[in-house]
Amino acid sequence: MKITRSIVLTGFAALLVTGSLLFGCSKKSSNPTSPGDGGGGDTFNTGVINVVGFSFPHTFSTAGSMPYHCIPHSPGMAGTVIVSSSSTVDSVVVTVGPGGARTFDPSSVTVKVGGQVRWVWASVGHTVTSGAPTAAPMAMPDMPGMSGPGGR
Ligand SMILES: [Cu+2]
């Protein structure tokens, strides 16, 4: 039956995709070069994580303001890591999707140069991806008042 075979293959493909995303994550975090991140030293992309409690640490070696986002919920789900030579913060934890919300909490954190940010997933279906959010994957109307510089 053509239809049955199609369903089976689709399910199998979904398993393969899920598996490769999960197992590919640790590789990416230790070797943070992924296409589309625009290069530079502090790039990362976890892929979609579907495990509550998943933990992704990243050490920031370059001072500056580092935007990041969640690909499926871009551009609304985004945050910033400020890496500052005047900071003394060694490490900080950011909760991903607290209570199922499409947010990072806190959305802006500051660490010292060489400091570590650890993201912990509180709900599933999110990525932590370096870089500013670009266009939404699906066409969405512009959100007035959300495009200016954030007053944090
Ligand atoms: Cu998300």
Side-chain angles (χ1 to χ4, degrees), residues 38-68:
D42 283 321
T43 63
F44 44 86
N45 180 12
T46 63
V48 174
I49 301 299
N50 288 313
V51 180
V52 169
F54 187 90
S55 174
F56 170 69
H58 185 82
T59 299
F60 289 84
S61 54
T62 307
S65 179
M66 314 292 179
Y68 66 92

PDB file of all heavy atoms in Angstrom, residues 38-68:
ATOM      1  N   GLY A  38      27.408  32.953  10.751  1.00  0.00           N
ATOM      2  CA  GLY A  38      28.132  34.166  10.423  1.00  0.00           C
ATOM      3  C   GLY A  38      29.585  34.146  10.855  1.00  0.00           C
ATOM      4  O   GLY A  38      30.246  35.164  10.842  1.00  0.00           O
ATOM      5  N   GLY A  39      30.092  33.005  11.274  1.00  0.00           N
ATOM      6  CA  GLY A  39      31.486  32.923  11.644  1.00  0.00           C
ATOM      7  C   GLY A  39      31.767  33.564  12.986  1.00  0.00           C
ATOM      8  O   GLY A  39      30.874  33.850  13.753  1.00  0.00           O
ATOM      9  N   GLY A  40      33.043  33.786  13.279  1.00  0.00           N
ATOM     10  CA  GLY A  40      33.410  34.341  14.566  1.00  0.00           C
ATOM     11  C   GLY A  40      33.594  33.245  15.592  1.00  0.00           C
ATOM     12  O   GLY A  40      33.287  32.082  15.346  1.00  0.00           O
ATOM     13  N   GLY A  41      34.088  33.607  16.751  1.00  0.00           N
ATOM     14  CA  GLY A  41      34.432  32.604  17.739  1.00  0.00           C
ATOM     15  C   GLY A  41      33.266  32.134  18.577  1.00  0.00           C
ATOM     16  O   GLY A  41      33.196  30.973  18.940  1.00  0.00           O
ATOM     17  N   ASP A  42      32.360  33.024  18.909  1.00  0.00           N
ATOM     18  CA  ASP A  42      31.310  32.684  19.851  1.00  0.00           C
ATOM     19  C   ASP A  42      30.012  32.345  19.141  1.00  0.00           C
ATOM     20  O   ASP A  42      28.997  33.010  19.302  1.00  0.00           O
ATOM     21  CB  ASP A  42      31.099  33.820  20.853  1.00  0.00           C
ATOM     22  CG  ASP A  42      32.193  33.814  21.913  1.00  0.00           C
ATOM     23  OD1 ASP A  42      32.594  32.715  22.338  1.00  0.00           O
ATOM     24  OD2 ASP A  42      32.640  34.897  22.299  1.00  0.00           O
ATOM     25  N   THR A  43      30.055  31.319  18.327  1.00  0.00           N
ATOM     26  CA  THR A  43      28.840  30.889  17.650  1.00  0.00           C
ATOM     27  C   THR A  43      28.444  29.511  18.146  1.00  0.00           C
ATOM     28  O   THR A  43      29.289  28.694  18.497  1.00  0.00           O
ATOM     29  CB  THR A  43      29.029  30.847  16.128  1.00  0.00           C
ATOM     30  OG1 THR A  43      30.028  29.887  15.816  1.00  0.00           O
ATOM     31  CG2 THR A  43      29.434  32.196  15.590  1.00  0.00           C
ATOM     32  N   PHE A  44      27.150  29.292  18.185  1.00  0.00           N
ATOM     33  CA  PHE A  44      26.650  28.011  18.670  1.00  0.00           C
ATOM     34  C   PHE A  44      25.236  27.823  18.149  1.00  0.00           C
ATOM     35  O   PHE A  44      24.547  28.794  17.811  1.00  0.00           O
ATOM     36  CB  PHE A  44      26.660  27.969  20.204  1.00  0.00           C
ATOM     37  CG  PHE A  44      26.132  29.227  20.841  1.00  0.00           C
ATOM     38  CD1 PHE A  44      24.774  29.397  21.062  1.00  0.00           C
ATOM     39  CD2 PHE A  44      26.990  30.250  21.213  1.00  0.00           C
ATOM     40  CE1 PHE A  44      24.281  30.549  21.639  1.00  0.00           C
ATOM     41  CE2 PHE A  44      26.501  31.421  21.799  1.00  0.00           C
ATOM     42  CZ  PHE A  44      25.146  31.567  22.012  1.00  0.00           C
ATOM     43  N   ASN A  45      24.831  26.572  18.079  1.00  0.00           N
ATOM     44  CA  ASN A  45      23.472  26.236  17.677  1.00  0.00           C
ATOM     45  C   ASN A  45      23.168  24.838  18.182  1.00  0.00           C
ATOM     46  O   ASN A  45      23.771  23.869  17.732  1.00  0.00           O
ATOM     47  CB  ASN A  45      23.329  26.321  16.158  1.00  0.00           C
ATOM     48  CG  ASN A  45      21.922  25.985  15.704  1.00  0.00           C
ATOM     49  OD1 ASN A  45      20.993  25.901  16.518  1.00  0.00           O
ATOM     50  ND2 ASN A  45      21.753  25.791  14.420  1.00  0.00           N
ATOM     51  N   THR A  46      22.249  24.745  19.122  1.00  0.00           N
ATOM     52  CA  THR A  46      21.977  23.443  19.727  1.00  0.00           C
ATOM     53  C   THR A  46      21.112  22.565  18.848  1.00  0.00           C
ATOM     54  O   THR A  46      21.043  21.356  19.059  1.00  0.00           O
ATOM     55  CB  THR A  46      21.251  23.607  21.067  1.00  0.00           C
ATOM     56  OG1 THR A  46      19.976  24.219  20.830  1.00  0.00           O
ATOM     57  CG2 THR A  46      22.071  24.441  22.043  1.00  0.00           C
ATOM     58  N   GLY A  47      20.427  23.164  17.867  1.00  0.00           N
ATOM     59  CA  GLY A  47      19.344  22.426  17.228  1.00  0.00           C
ATOM     60  C   GLY A  47      18.162  22.353  18.182  1.00  0.00           C
ATOM     61  O   GLY A  47      18.272  22.748  19.351  1.00  0.00           O
ATOM     62  N   VAL A  48      17.039  21.879  17.680  1.00  0.00           N
ATOM     63  CA  VAL A  48      15.836  21.814  18.517  1.00  0.00           C
ATOM     64  C   VAL A  48      16.024  20.740  19.594  1.00  0.00           C
ATOM     65  O   VAL A  48      16.324  19.590  19.288  1.00  0.00           O
ATOM     66  CB  VAL A  48      14.586  21.504  17.671  1.00  0.00           C
ATOM     67  CG1 VAL A  48      13.373  21.301  18.572  1.00  0.00           C
ATOM     68  CG2 VAL A  48      14.344  22.621  16.674  1.00  0.00           C
ATOM     69  N   ILE A  49      15.849  21.137  20.838  1.00  0.00           N
ATOM     70  CA  ILE A  49      16.000  20.224  21.977  1.00  0.00           C
ATOM     71  C   ILE A  49      14.613  19.867  22.503  1.00  0.00           C
ATOM     72  O   ILE A  49      13.811  20.759  22.811  1.00  0.00           O
ATOM     73  CB  ILE A  49      16.834  20.881  23.088  1.00  0.00           C
ATOM     74  CG1 ILE A  49      18.222  21.277  22.571  1.00  0.00           C
ATOM     75  CG2 ILE A  49      16.940  19.935  24.289  1.00  0.00           C
ATOM     76  CD1 ILE A  49      19.064  20.121  22.076  1.00  0.00           C
ATOM     77  N   ASN A  50      14.345  18.581  22.582  1.00  0.00           N
ATOM     78  CA  ASN A  50      13.031  18.121  23.045  1.00  0.00           C
ATOM     79  C   ASN A  50      13.129  17.369  24.366  1.00  0.00           C
ATOM     80  O   ASN A  50      12.356  16.447  24.629  1.00  0.00           O
ATOM     81  CB  ASN A  50      12.381  17.246  21.976  1.00  0.00           C
ATOM     82  CG  ASN A  50      11.914  18.075  20.785  1.00  0.00           C
ATOM     83  OD1 ASN A  50      11.282  19.114  20.961  1.00  0.00           O
ATOM     84  ND2 ASN A  50      12.252  17.645  19.590  1.00  0.00           N
ATOM     85  N   VAL A  51      14.084  17.765  25.184  1.00  0.00           N
ATOM     86  CA  VAL A  51      14.290  17.122  26.482  1.00  0.00           C
ATOM     87  C   VAL A  51      14.263  18.190  27.568  1.00  0.00           C
ATOM     88  O   VAL A  51      15.130  19.073  27.605  1.00  0.00           O
ATOM     89  CB  VAL A  51      15.644  16.385  26.514  1.00  0.00           C
ATOM     90  CG1 VAL A  51      15.862  15.723  27.876  1.00  0.00           C
ATOM     91  CG2 VAL A  51      15.725  15.352  25.397  1.00  0.00           C
ATOM     92  N   VAL A  52      13.254  18.104  28.438  1.00  0.00           N
ATOM     93  CA  VAL A  52      13.210  19.024  29.576  1.00  0.00           C
ATOM     94  C   VAL A  52      14.379  18.697  30.506  1.00  0.00           C
ATOM     95  O   VAL A  52      14.649  17.530  30.785  1.00  0.00           O
ATOM     96  CB  VAL A  52      11.863  18.901  30.313  1.00  0.00           C
ATOM     97  CG1 VAL A  52      11.901  19.655  31.650  1.00  0.00           C
ATOM     98  CG2 VAL A  52      10.730  19.438  29.452  1.00  0.00           C
ATOM     99  N   GLY A  53      15.060  19.738  30.939  1.00  0.00           N
ATOM    100  CA  GLY A  53      16.218  19.542  31.800  1.00  0.00           C
ATOM    101  C   GLY A  53      17.527  19.489  31.039  1.00  0.00           C
ATOM    102  O   GLY A  53      18.598  19.440  31.647  1.00  0.00           O
ATOM    103  N   PHE A  54      17.438  19.506  29.705  1.00  0.00           N
ATOM    104  CA  PHE A  54      18.658  19.513  28.894  1.00  0.00           C
ATOM    105  C   PHE A  54      19.488  20.746  29.248  1.00  0.00           C
ATOM    106  O   PHE A  54      18.959  21.835  29.451  1.00  0.00           O
ATOM    107  CB  PHE A  54      18.307  19.525  27.405  1.00  0.00           C
ATOM    108  CG  PHE A  54      19.503  19.354  26.504  1.00  0.00           C
ATOM    109  CD1 PHE A  54      19.911  18.094  26.111  1.00  0.00           C
ATOM    110  CD2 PHE A  54      20.209  20.455  26.049  1.00  0.00           C
ATOM    111  CE1 PHE A  54      21.012  17.933  25.281  1.00  0.00           C
ATOM    112  CE2 PHE A  54      21.306  20.298  25.223  1.00  0.00           C
ATOM    113  CZ  PHE A  54      21.710  19.038  24.830  1.00  0.00           C
ATOM    114  N   SER A  55      20.784  20.572  29.314  1.00  0.00           N
ATOM    115  CA  SER A  55      21.672  21.646  29.740  1.00  0.00           C
ATOM    116  C   SER A  55      22.721  21.895  28.671  1.00  0.00           C
ATOM    117  O   SER A  55      23.376  20.962  28.204  1.00  0.00           O
ATOM    118  CB  SER A  55      22.350  21.239  31.056  1.00  0.00           C
ATOM    119  OG  SER A  55      23.307  22.199  31.429  1.00  0.00           O
ATOM    120  N   PHE A  56      22.848  23.135  28.279  1.00  0.00           N
ATOM    121  CA  PHE A  56      23.837  23.509  27.259  1.00  0.00           C
ATOM    122  C   PHE A  56      24.723  24.632  27.797  1.00  0.00           C
ATOM    123  O   PHE A  56      24.279  25.765  27.951  1.00  0.00           O
ATOM    124  CB  PHE A  56      23.123  23.967  25.979  1.00  0.00           C
ATOM    125  CG  PHE A  56      24.054  24.588  24.964  1.00  0.00           C
ATOM    126  CD1 PHE A  56      24.995  23.823  24.296  1.00  0.00           C
ATOM    127  CD2 PHE A  56      23.989  25.948  24.693  1.00  0.00           C
ATOM    128  CE1 PHE A  56      25.859  24.409  23.376  1.00  0.00           C
ATOM    129  CE2 PHE A  56      24.844  26.538  23.758  1.00  0.00           C
ATOM    130  CZ  PHE A  56      25.786  25.767  23.101  1.00  0.00           C
ATOM    131  N   PRO A  57      25.977  24.327  28.119  1.00  0.00           N
ATOM    132  CA  PRO A  57      26.897  25.371  28.561  1.00  0.00           C
ATOM    133  C   PRO A  57      27.701  25.938  27.399  1.00  0.00           C
ATOM    134  O   PRO A  57      28.043  25.219  26.456  1.00  0.00           O
ATOM    135  CB  PRO A  57      27.814  24.614  29.526  1.00  0.00           C
ATOM    136  CG  PRO A  57      27.850  23.219  28.986  1.00  0.00           C
ATOM    137  CD  PRO A  57      26.554  22.986  28.213  1.00  0.00           C
ATOM    138  N   HIS A  58      27.993  27.206  27.469  1.00  0.00           N
ATOM    139  CA  HIS A  58      28.877  27.804  26.465  1.00  0.00           C
ATOM    140  C   HIS A  58      29.743  28.854  27.151  1.00  0.00           C
ATOM    141  O   HIS A  58      29.251  29.676  27.917  1.00  0.00           O
ATOM    142  CB  HIS A  58      28.073  28.437  25.329  1.00  0.00           C
ATOM    143  CG  HIS A  58      28.948  28.957  24.221  1.00  0.00           C
ATOM    144  ND1 HIS A  58      29.450  28.141  23.233  1.00  0.00           N
ATOM    145  CD2 HIS A  58      29.438  30.195  23.983  1.00  0.00           C
ATOM    146  CE1 HIS A  58      30.210  28.871  22.411  1.00  0.00           C
ATOM    147  NE2 HIS A  58      30.210  30.115  22.849  1.00  0.00           N
ATOM    148  N   THR A  59      31.018  28.805  26.857  1.00  0.00           N
ATOM    149  CA  THR A  59      31.966  29.761  27.422  1.00  0.00           C
ATOM    150  C   THR A  59      32.234  30.864  26.409  1.00  0.00           C
ATOM    151  O   THR A  59      32.480  30.585  25.234  1.00  0.00           O
ATOM    152  CB  THR A  59      33.285  29.044  27.794  1.00  0.00           C
ATOM    153  OG1 THR A  59      33.004  28.052  28.771  1.00  0.00           O
ATOM    154  CG2 THR A  59      34.302  30.039  28.336  1.00  0.00           C
ATOM    155  N   PHE A  60      32.159  32.085  26.889  1.00  0.00           N
ATOM    156  CA  PHE A  60      32.320  33.244  26.005  1.00  0.00           C
ATOM    157  C   PHE A  60      33.710  33.838  26.196  1.00  0.00           C
ATOM    158  O   PHE A  60      34.084  34.245  27.293  1.00  0.00           O
ATOM    159  CB  PHE A  60      31.243  34.286  26.320  1.00  0.00           C
ATOM    160  CG  PHE A  60      29.876  33.850  25.874  1.00  0.00           C
ATOM    161  CD1 PHE A  60      29.107  33.023  26.679  1.00  0.00           C
ATOM    162  CD2 PHE A  60      29.364  34.233  24.642  1.00  0.00           C
ATOM    163  CE1 PHE A  60      27.852  32.597  26.271  1.00  0.00           C
ATOM    164  CE2 PHE A  60      28.115  33.809  24.228  1.00  0.00           C
ATOM    165  CZ  PHE A  60      27.361  32.994  25.044  1.00  0.00           C
ATOM    166  N   SER A  61      34.461  33.893  25.120  1.00  0.00           N
ATOM    167  CA  SER A  61      35.858  34.305  25.202  1.00  0.00           C
ATOM    168  C   SER A  61      36.104  35.708  24.655  1.00  0.00           C
ATOM    169  O   SER A  61      37.208  36.217  24.751  1.00  0.00           O
ATOM    170  CB  SER A  61      36.734  33.299  24.449  1.00  0.00           C
ATOM    171  OG  SER A  61      36.260  33.149  23.124  1.00  0.00           O
ATOM    172  N   THR A  62      35.071  36.295  24.076  1.00  0.00           N
ATOM    173  CA  THR A  62      35.252  37.597  23.443  1.00  0.00           C
ATOM    174  C   THR A  62      34.272  38.605  24.039  1.00  0.00           C
ATOM    175  O   THR A  62      33.071  38.323  24.126  1.00  0.00           O
ATOM    176  CB  THR A  62      34.995  37.499  21.928  1.00  0.00           C
ATOM    177  OG1 THR A  62      35.806  36.454  21.386  1.00  0.00           O
ATOM    178  CG2 THR A  62      35.334  38.800  21.230  1.00  0.00           C
ATOM    179  N   ALA A  63      34.804  39.762  24.462  1.00  0.00           N
ATOM    180  CA  ALA A  63      33.938  40.797  25.021  1.00  0.00           C
ATOM    181  C   ALA A  63      32.998  41.333  23.955  1.00  0.00           C
ATOM    182  O   ALA A  63      33.341  41.415  22.779  1.00  0.00           O
ATOM    183  CB  ALA A  63      34.779  41.935  25.601  1.00  0.00           C
ATOM    184  N   GLY A  64      31.804  41.666  24.396  1.00  0.00           N
ATOM    185  CA  GLY A  64      30.844  42.250  23.472  1.00  0.00           C
ATOM    186  C   GLY A  64      29.436  41.827  23.833  1.00  0.00           C
ATOM    187  O   GLY A  64      29.205  41.106  24.797  1.00  0.00           O
ATOM    188  N   SER A  65      28.502  42.298  23.049  1.00  0.00           N
ATOM    189  CA  SER A  65      27.103  41.949  23.243  1.00  0.00           C
ATOM    190  C   SER A  65      26.734  40.869  22.235  1.00  0.00           C
ATOM    191  O   SER A  65      26.851  41.077  21.029  1.00  0.00           O
ATOM    192  CB  SER A  65      26.234  43.200  23.047  1.00  0.00           C
ATOM    193  OG  SER A  65      24.875  42.870  23.218  1.00  0.00           O
ATOM    194  N   MET A  66      26.362  39.705  22.739  1.00  0.00           N
ATOM    195  CA  MET A  66      26.129  38.546  21.879  1.00  0.00           C
ATOM    196  C   MET A  66      24.644  38.185  21.854  1.00  0.00           C
ATOM    197  O   MET A  66      24.138  37.576  22.796  1.00  0.00           O
ATOM    198  CB  MET A  66      26.912  37.332  22.400  1.00  0.00           C
ATOM    199  CG  MET A  66      28.349  37.625  22.764  1.00  0.00           C
ATOM    200  SD  MET A  66      29.348  38.014  21.322  1.00  0.00           S
ATOM    201  CE  MET A  66      30.934  38.336  22.102  1.00  0.00           C
ATOM    202  N   PRO A  67      23.953  38.551  20.805  1.00  0.00           N
ATOM    203  CA  PRO A  67      22.542  38.168  20.711  1.00  0.00           C
ATOM    204  C   PRO A  67      22.408  36.686  20.382  1.00  0.00           C
ATOM    205  O   PRO A  67      23.286  36.088  19.766  1.00  0.00           O
ATOM    206  CB  PRO A  67      22.022  39.033  19.559  1.00  0.00           C
ATOM    207  CG  PRO A  67      23.216  39.285  18.713  1.00  0.00           C
ATOM    208  CD  PRO A  67      24.414  39.304  19.646  1.00  0.00           C
ATOM    209  N   TYR A  68      21.319  36.102  20.851  1.00  0.00           N
ATOM    210  CA  TYR A  68      21.004  34.727  20.474  1.00  0.00           C
ATOM    211  C   TYR A  68      19.488  34.604  20.393  1.00  0.00           C
ATOM    212  O   TYR A  68      18.759  35.517  20.796  1.00  0.00           O
ATOM    213  CB  TYR A  68      21.611  33.719  21.460  1.00  0.00           C
ATOM    214  CG  TYR A  68      21.018  33.782  22.843  1.00  0.00           C
ATOM    215  CD1 TYR A  68      19.943  32.972  23.191  1.00  0.00           C
ATOM    216  CD2 TYR A  68      21.519  34.655  23.798  1.00  0.00           C
ATOM    217  CE1 TYR A  68      19.390  33.018  24.458  1.00  0.00           C
ATOM    218  CE2 TYR A  68      20.970  34.707  25.063  1.00  0.00           C
ATOM    219  CZ  TYR A  68      19.903  33.891  25.391  1.00  0.00           C
ATOM    220  OH  TYR A  68      19.345  33.950  26.640  1.00  0.00           O
TER     221      TYR A  68
END
